[in-house]
Amino acid sequence: MLKDQVAIITGASRGIGKEIARQLAEQGMKLVLAGSSEEVHQTAEELKKTGFENIISIQSDVSREKDVQNLVDKTLAAFGQIDLLVNNAGVGFFKLTEEVSLDEWKKVFEVNVQGVFLGAKAVLPHMKKRKSGNIITISSDVGRYTIPNGAAYTATKYAVQGFSGSLAQEVREFGIRVGTINPGMVDTYFAGSTQGIPEKEEWLKVEDIAKAVVYMASAPQYMVVDEIILHPLVQNYPIA
Ligand code: NJP
């Protein structure tokens, strides 16, 4: 069903985004990988070496409108259509509120919230014209409940939930589906961590999140998967 469809994945240099790219490539999708660093090109090369074709990489910062518009324009020039936008790029840090600088506050909102807004805004005219499309955002379980020592990050993910819910209702009549995937602790490079260290052995794996993306994106056109929340069994979290 996803075969020959076109996806843009932001934050595809490493971590969850890289594995989403791998699994969507396995489905036969044509991919545009975006990341703010040059690492994104290496990731695309790595995937191509494993036999996947139709993958391009574009260095772009999701918090910059020009970069995001360029990403969408180049995708349309290369592949002619956009079926799926995966807003995955995100940053986070965890400290007491009085220790958070205004620059850190701005940065986390610029990437996690402004980036999601800019991505959606840039693909919507095209998706509305085609009367189809999928916008999937990797949000967080802390978009649904709060944690201490992470007020700025938590605030961004609550914002993402509000934005996505409102957008979903706005674009339903155009056949466009909007959903969020809200993981708990995932073993990646997030917040300056390292992927694959023994302390995170029982955390969610990038493969788990990528599978959720494939499931959400493959839902039949009459169905919308609004949200998937997933946690490692070892994580203690409140249940609503
Ligand atoms: O983190 P990491 P994850 N513009 O650090 C890119 C959410 N999440 O895979 O820019 C464009 O390994 C960066 O690439 P580069 C989290 O909030 C995670 O875990 O080239 N891209 C890299 O590819 C986030 O939304 C956990 O350096 C930018 C990627 O983002 C998503 O999962 C739990 C960028 C980050 O890779 C993926 O994060 C949870 C920019 N301005 C939610 N800035 C978790 N790991 O536990 C960064 O609830 N990137």
Side-chain angles (χ1 to χ4, degrees):
M1 144 159 212
L2 296 176
K3 190 164 168 25
D4 293 328
Q5 291 190 11
V6 179
I8 295 175
I9 304 152
T10 70
S13 305
R14 59 185 172 276
I16 294 170
K18 181 177 178 178
E19 177 61 17
I20 292 171
R22 205 190 58 74
Q23 290 197 20
L24 292 179
E26 260 177 7
Q27 298 291 318
M29 289 190 92
K30 299 174 185 174
L31 302 182
V32 178
L33 312 191
S36 69
S37 74
E38 285 182 356
E39 195 181 341
V40 75
H41 300 311
Q42 291 161 28
T43 302
E45 284 314 308
E46 233 179 86
L47 284 172
K48 283 197 251 180
K49 273 189 197 141
T50 59
F52 298 117
E53 291 166 6
N54 293 316
I55 297 179
I56 59 175
S57 49
I58 300 173
Q59 195 176 344
S60 68
D61 181 336
V62 292
S63 67
R64 297 172 61 165
E65 189 168 24
K66 267 193 190 156
D67 281 19
V68 176
Q69 195 54 55
N70 177 54
L71 176 65
V72 168
D73 292 346
K74 286 201 169 138
T75 303
L76 290 174
F79 295 130
Q81 65 191 62
I82 300 167
D83 300 279
L84 169 64
L85 167 67
V86 184
N87 284 314
N88 164 75
V91 292
F93 55 85
F94 298 91
K95 48 171 126 169
L96 293 171
T97 297
E98 68 268 29
E99 290 166 3
V100 176
S101 70
L102 182 56
D103 281 349
E104 286 173 322
W105 174 270
K106 283 183 181 165
K107 170 83 179 169
V108 77
F109 269 83
E110 279 171 7
V111 178
N112 296 6
V113 186
Q114 190 169 303
V116 170
F117 157 67
L118 290 175
K121 183 175 159 67
V123 296
L124 280 172
H126 170 75
M127 287 184 174
K128 278 188 171 176
K129 218 185 292 166
R130 290 182 76 215
K131 291 210 173 303
S132 81
N134 248 305
I135 299 175
I136 297 176
T137 299
I138 310 304
S139 177
S140 176
D141 58 346
V142 301
R144 288 301 185 203
Y145 58 79
T146 60
I147 51 162
N149 297 339
Y153 179 68
T154 301
T156 67
K157 295 300 187 177
Y158 265 73
V160 161
Q161 291 305 132
F163 175 76
S164 299
S166 192
L167 178 65
Q169 297 177 65
E170 217 175 282
V171 298
R172 183 191 289 146
E173 64 181 291
F174 298 95
I176 301 168
R177 298 174 297 169
V178 178
T180 59
I181 294 177
N182 301 335
M185 301 179 310
V186 192
D187 177 11
T188 68
Y189 303 90
F190 188 66
S193 179
T194 304
Q195 194 172 308
I197 55 176
E199 296 89 304
K200 299 197 289 184
E201 203 180 336
E202 294 194 62
W203 291 25
L204 297 175
K205 310 287 171 249
V206 291
E207 289 82 358
D208 304 318
I209 317 307
K211 273 186 203 159
V213 172
V214 171
Y215 174 74
M216 194 176 260
S218 320
Q221 185 57 36
Y222 62 80
M223 168 175 155
V224 53
V225 183
D226 305 284
E227 183 175 0
I228 296 176
I229 306 180
L230 54 171
H231 286 99
L233 194 56
V234 292
Q235 185 177 342
N236 192 10
Y237 58 91
I239 298 178

